[in-house]
Amino acid sequence: MYRGEKVLLRAYKSDDTEKAYEYVNDAELMRYLSPNVAFPMTYKEEKEWVEAQGQNKDGTYNFAIEDLESGRYIGGCGINEVNWLTRVVTVGIMIGDKDYWGRGYGTDTMNTLIKFIFSNMNVNKIKLYTFSFNERAQRCYEKCGFKVEGILKEEVFKDGQYYDEVIMSIFKNQWDQGDI
C-alpha cells in the first residue's frame, strides 16, 4: 500500500466490485475513459476484472484508490504499459466517485503513483494520454509536473465528433530535482 496525503493506493478487493461496476458504467465518467472503454460492462465482466488484478509479469499493475479519511473506494489508477528497454511507463487514473472530483484527490493520487514509480521501478519517463476536452485532468497532471509532449490530431471519436488526444510526460531527473 502506498500512502499519499489524501489517498491510499492499495490492491483491489472483492468488496470494490460493486462500486467499480457503477463507476465504469457511469455515462459521464465513460466520456473521460480510454477509447477502448466505449461500451457498458456487465457485472460479471467487472467482477472478473477486479479478481484478476495483481502485478502482471510485464510490470503493469492496477491500484484501487481509497480515501484515507473515510476508507471509501473512490477509483483506480495504474501502470498500463512498461517498456523495460527504454524505461518508459504509461499510466492512467480514474476518480470514479464524483463527490471527490475537483478536491485534489486526483492530484494526490497521481503524485503518489509518480513517487512509487520513480522510487521503486528504475523508470526514466512516465507518460499518459488524455483527451483535449478533459481540461480538469490536464490541470491536475500539470500540477504534478507533467508537460505536453505531443498532440494526436482527431485521434478520439466521442459524442459524435473527433477530438485530439494529448500526450503528457514527466522525467525522473525533473522529479528528482523538483523542476516541476
Side-chain angles (χ1 to χ4, degrees):
M1 293 192 271
Y2 301 95
R3 183 179 303 273
E5 294 177 13
K6 296 180 170 207
V7 300
L8 181 69
L9 305 186
R10 60 163 173 78
Y12 273 89
K13 303 183 284 192
S14 60
D15 292 352
D16 299 327
T17 304
E18 189 71 37
K19 280 291 182 190
Y21 171 72
E22 178 185 317
Y23 297 155
V24 79
N25 285 297
D26 180 277
E28 183 180 7
L29 184 61
M30 280 181 71
R31 184 168 193 264
Y32 298 107
L33 297 179
S34 164
N36 300 330
V37 184
F39 303 102
M41 301 284 287
T42 66
Y43 184 83
K44 180 182 181 222
E45 289 170 324
E46 194 62 22
K47 185 175 194 276
E48 288 170 355
W49 184 87
V50 168
E51 290 172 353
Q53 294 315 295
Q55 184 174 8
N56 296 315
K57 291 180 182 171
D58 62 2
T60 61
Y61 192 87
N62 285 301
F63 294 96
I65 304 168
E66 184 176 296
D67 173 20
L68 276 174
E69 191 173 306
S70 69
R72 188 172 170 180
Y73 163 70
I74 63 169
C77 66
I79 302 163
N80 302 329
E81 296 176 27
V82 178
N83 183 324
W84 291 113
L85 182 63
T86 61
R87 300 289 182 204
V88 176
V89 302
T90 304
V91 298
I93 178 175
M94 178 224 22
I95 303 296
D97 190 323
K98 294 179 197 171
D99 291 342
Y100 291 84
W101 286 12
R103 296 180 48 208
Y105 284 85
T107 301
D108 189 47
T109 296
M110 188 56 77
N111 279 328
T112 305
L113 185 60
I114 291 167
K115 181 178 179 183
F116 165 75
I117 292 169
F118 283 148
S119 298
N120 296 292
M121 293 183 66
N122 190 24
V123 164
N124 182 54
K125 174 181 171 182
I126 302 170
K127 68 179 180 177
L128 57 81
Y129 298 84
T130 188
F131 306 135
S132 56
F133 60 80
N134 196 350
E135 295 169 1
R136 182 178 60 236
Q138 290 173 46
R139 284 191 304 273
C140 165
Y141 303 143
E142 288 169 352
K143 284 184 211 170
C144 296
F146 284 85
K147 299 201 177 357
V148 173
E149 189 167 298
I151 297 176
L152 302 173
K153 302 304 256 176
E154 296 186 9
E155 185 79 6
V156 178
F157 188 73
K158 295 263 186 183
D159 304 324
Q161 72 181 76
Y162 288 95
Y163 293 96
D164 297 344
E165 191 166 32
V166 180
I167 305 167
M168 301 180 79
S169 63
I170 183 172
F171 290 86
K172 185 171 188 320
N173 64 349
Q174 295 170 318
W175 184 78
D176 284 342
Q177 297 167 4
D179 293 344
I180 52 176

